[in-house]
């Protein structure tokens, strides 16, 4: 369980840094084009598409994850439970990362500042859904022995 949790934490950190870099690169590239941001009003459809796609993908990932937790056998060993936890987190993180990328690229295409803000907000949500031992205990309904084993990780 210790190695699974450490790998999950390292993966989350990598995804967060990668997402920040991509949104930052889109912003920098857009600022270098024509010396600043000149919104293209013909592409306002992205103002609707970005948040709707972000909410829909996050809701789907969250729903699929909750169903996996419900199907998880309470007598399964801790490693199997932690692998389910990691898989569910990967679903949520990939949903949020994809939404941030879509927002960053949409900002680059259109120059609409709201799209950049959507990308930054999904980045903050990505940081919020970091792997926590307390969240793992709650979501996996770990018993006292399993909780103690998980707490032994550094």
């Amino acid at each position: 369980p210790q190695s699974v949790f450490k790998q999950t934490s390292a993966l989350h950190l990598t995804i967060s840094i990668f997402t920040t870099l991509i949104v930052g690169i889109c912003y920098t590239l857009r600022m270098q084009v024509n010396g600043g941001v000149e919104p293209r009003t013909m592409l306002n459809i992205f103002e609707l598409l970005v948040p709707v796609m972000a909410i829909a993908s996050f809701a789907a990932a969250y729903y699929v994850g909750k169903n996996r937790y419900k199907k998880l056998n309470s007598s399964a060993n801790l490693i199997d439970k932690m692998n389910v936890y990691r898989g569910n987190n990967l679903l949520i993180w990939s949903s949020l990362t994809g939404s941030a990328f879509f927002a960053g690229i949409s900002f680059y295409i259109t120059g609409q500042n709201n799209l950049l803000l959507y990308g930054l907000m999904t980045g903050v949500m990505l940081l919020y859904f970091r792997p926590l031992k307390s969240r793992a205990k709650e979501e996996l309904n770990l018993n006292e022995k399993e909780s103690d084993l998980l707490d032994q990780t550094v």
Side-chain angles (χ1 to χ4, degrees), residues 64-121:
V64 168
K66 285 297 180 185
N67 280 340
R68 283 185 180 175
Y69 287 135
K70 288 178 184 175
K71 291 178 183 176
L72 185 62
N73 189 354
S74 61
S75 64
N77 66 22
L78 185 57
I79 298 291
D80 292 339
K81 289 180 179 180
M82 290 303 295
N83 284 330
V84 169
Y85 178 73
R86 179 175 46 187
N88 290 344
N89 278 332
L90 278 173
L91 275 175
I92 290 173
W93 298 338
S94 60
S95 164
L96 292 172
T97 302
S99 298
F101 289 176
F102 184 46
I105 292 168
S106 297
F107 168 74
Y108 177 74
I109 292 170
T110 66
Q112 298 287 336
N113 287 331
N114 287 348
L115 298 172
L116 180 64
L117 292 175
Y118 295 150
L120 294 174
M121 285 189 292

Side-chain angles (χ1 to χ4, degrees), residues 120-139:
L120 294 174
M121 285 189 292
T122 55
V124 169
M125 283 184 65
L126 182 64
L127 293 175
Y128 174 77
F129 283 100
R130 67 193 181 279
L132 297 172
K133 292 177 187 176
S134 59
R135 190 177 294 149
K137 291 176 192 176
E138 179 183 331
E139 291 178 353

Side-chain angles (χ1 to χ4, degrees), residues 19-33 35-37 103-109 111-113 115-117 120:
T19 302
T20 304
L21 286 174
I22 292 296
V23 172
I25 288 169
C26 288
Y27 174 77
T28 303
L29 291 175
R30 181 64 187 167
M31 287 298 146
Q32 290 178 354
V33 173
V37 176
I105 292 168
S106 297
F107 168 74
Y108 177 74
I109 292 170
Q112 298 287 336
N113 287 331
L115 298 172
L116 180 64
L117 292 175
L120 294 174

